[in-house]
Amino acid sequence: MSAPIDETKLHAFVGKMLGDLGGAMSVPTVRLGARLGLFDALAQAPATAAELARRAGGLHERYVREWALAQAANGYVDYDPATEQFSLSPEQAMVFHDPDSPVYLIAAFEMVAAMIEAEPKVEECFRHGTGVRWGDHAGCLFCATGAFFRPGYLNNIVQTWIPALDGVEARLREGAKVADVGCGVGFSTLLMAQAYPQSRFTGYDFHEPSIEEARRHAQAHGLGDRVRFEVSTAKDVAGRDFDLVTMYDCLHDMGDPRGCAAHMRRILAPGGSWMIIEPVAGDRPEENLNPVGRLYYNASTMICVPTSLDQEVGEALGAQAGEARLSQIVREGGFENVRRAAEGPFNMVLEAR
């Protein structure tokens, strides 16, 4: 016999589901608003739908009005019924307009769209225990991933994460040799290179289209003389004697993180450091049943675990591996000292020496 229904709990749960479904349905409208410049246009000043349509380059007013009302219902823009004007508050602008804000989240909506597009491929992985090669998921997932992490890197790498390491910042200012392993499209590598002009940087990633994009970024920023980008898996990095190895949000994606850790130990110079940026997570699953863990577990199901299972070993740590498990893997690679050097709302910084 089934348990009796608690009407109060049912209504609360349905209310939660309405909120979740509304958020899911906002994904395409937010993406449209970003591509059509509607958030940027609204950030200039409050506007009616007609004014916003003109300001955004002559869009169709009826579509713009429905879009704006959808965003008002989302709580993503404000609406004044007396003037029929829509506006973007400073806080909303940080999320939807300012690409250098630490909470700029437009790229997260692109990642969600890519996850939905890749659903049939991941479904087959559930049936057969296989994986999905990075870059084969859907659309330009690697572009969206790079854009998603960029604001966090822009606001933390130089300001917080590197200064938290033991003596590393001073070495970078004097001139150090750095490997950025799993660099993706190169945002992390270039941010470090801009901050520490005396040092030399090489970014490595196994995804050739990402490396091609990183090289274009380097040339555009005039950093081609001090920054190189090479196609390589983590375990095949050919360089040696690095003063610093960095790894941003990618160790958990690797098929063989233990083999990777052992190779990082080999390529470091004596006294060198390995900085590992990973999604913040507790060591027990129940510690991660929160809004941040919710994002990471869902993304991990659709992206991180399939990516790892496509590679050799296929350990599939997932995006919520936790400090204890990650530290154990790093120590097994030959590092004597591993510590949490810093943390934020989305990431933790491990330093291995």
Side-chain angles (χ1 to χ4, degrees):
M1 180 180 295
S2 61
I5 298 296
D6 184 320
E7 293 292 335
T8 300
K9 288 184 178 180
L10 175 62
H11 291 159
F13 185 62
V14 171
K16 168 184 163 52
M17 292 307 303
L18 289 173
D20 290 352
L21 289 170
M25 289 183 179
S26 75
V27 170
T29 62
V30 168
R31 295 177 71 215
L32 283 171
R35 288 200 302 272
L36 294 171
L38 286 163
F39 287 112
D40 295 336
L42 195 57
Q44 298 174 22
T48 64
E51 292 166 343
L52 182 57
R54 288 194 296 270
R55 193 183 296 167
L59 300 176
H60 192 283
E61 178 184 345
R62 183 65 187 90
Y63 278 108
V64 170
R65 176 175 173 77
E66 204 73 0
W67 176 88
L69 287 169
Q71 304 321 305
N74 287 335
Y76 298 166
V77 309
D78 293 331
Y79 176 64
D80 183 350
T83 62
E84 296 188 344
Q85 285 188 321
F86 301 90
S87 61
L88 207 62
S89 71
E91 296 78 19
Q92 292 162 342
M94 288 183 69
V95 172
F96 294 110
H97 167 65
D98 180 5
D100 292 342
S101 157
V103 290
Y104 183 69
L105 293 174
I106 287 290
F109 291 84
E110 296 296 331
M111 289 183 66
V112 171
M115 287 163 58
I116 293 171
E117 185 181 341
E119 180 185 325
K121 296 179 181 179
V122 178
E123 181 177 344
E124 288 304 303
C125 295
F126 270 75
R127 299 182 188 282
H128 306 293
T130 51
V132 181
R133 189 173 303 277
W134 181 249
D136 288 350
H137 284 260
C140 190
L141 176 63
F142 67 92
C143 300
T145 301
F148 172 72
F149 284 121
R150 178 187 174 275
Y153 297 165
L154 178 66
N155 288 278
N156 287 288
I157 290 178
V158 175
Q159 299 90 331
T160 305
W161 295 345
I162 287 178
L165 304 179
D166 187 11
V168 170
E169 186 173 39
R171 297 181 72 176
L172 289 170
R173 295 196 184 284
E174 294 170 359
K177 184 179 179 182
V178 182
D180 188 12
V181 179
C183 66
V185 296
F187 288 138
S188 53
T189 321
L190 297 175
L191 286 167
M192 291 189 292
Q194 288 172 326
Y196 306 107
Q198 300 305 314
S199 294
R200 296 294 179 269
F201 299 82
T202 304
Y204 299 93
D205 200 281
F206 75 156
H207 185 234
E208 187 170 358
S210 291
I211 289 297
E212 292 171 354
E213 185 72 11
R215 288 169 177 163
R216 287 192 287 269
H217 287 311
Q219 292 301 318
H221 287 83
L223 294 169
D225 59 330
R226 305 192 280 111
V227 180
R228 295 188 301 111
F229 289 102
E230 303 293 340
V231 178
S232 174
T233 66
K235 289 166 58 176
D236 292 328
V237 169
R240 291 293 188 276
D241 296 321
F242 291 103
D243 300 298
L244 173 66
V245 173
T246 59
M247 198 171 284
Y248 294 93
D249 288 291
C250 61
L251 180 61
H252 67 273
D253 292 316
M254 295 183 181
D256 182 13
R258 288 176 171 79
C260 169
H263 191 63
M264 296 306 102
R265 181 68 184 84
R266 286 191 289 270
I267 68 176
L268 275 172
S273 297
W274 179 19
M275 180 173 73
I276 307 150
I277 309 298
E278 279 287 303
V280 69
D283 293 320
R284 298 188 302 274
E286 60 269 25
E287 297 176 32
N288 304 319
L289 304 183
N290 53 56
V292 173
R294 180 187 186 187
L295 293 176
Y296 281 136
Y297 274 131
N298 279 285
S300 188
T301 302
M302 300 301 294
I303 301 171
C304 307
V305 168
T307 295
S308 178
L309 287 175
D310 178 71
Q311 303 171 55
E312 61 173 335
V313 181
E315 181 146 343
L317 285 173
Q320 296 286 268
E323 180 180 1
R325 190 174 182 191
L326 291 166
S327 297
Q328 177 186 356
I329 287 171
V330 172
R331 289 190 177 94
E332 288 175 4
F335 290 87
E336 296 180 2
N337 300 306
V338 185
R339 70 181 182 98
R340 184 184 293 214
E343 65 179 90
F346 298 107
N347 292 96
M348 59 181 169
V349 181
L350 303 181
E351 180 183 21
R353 298 176 66 86

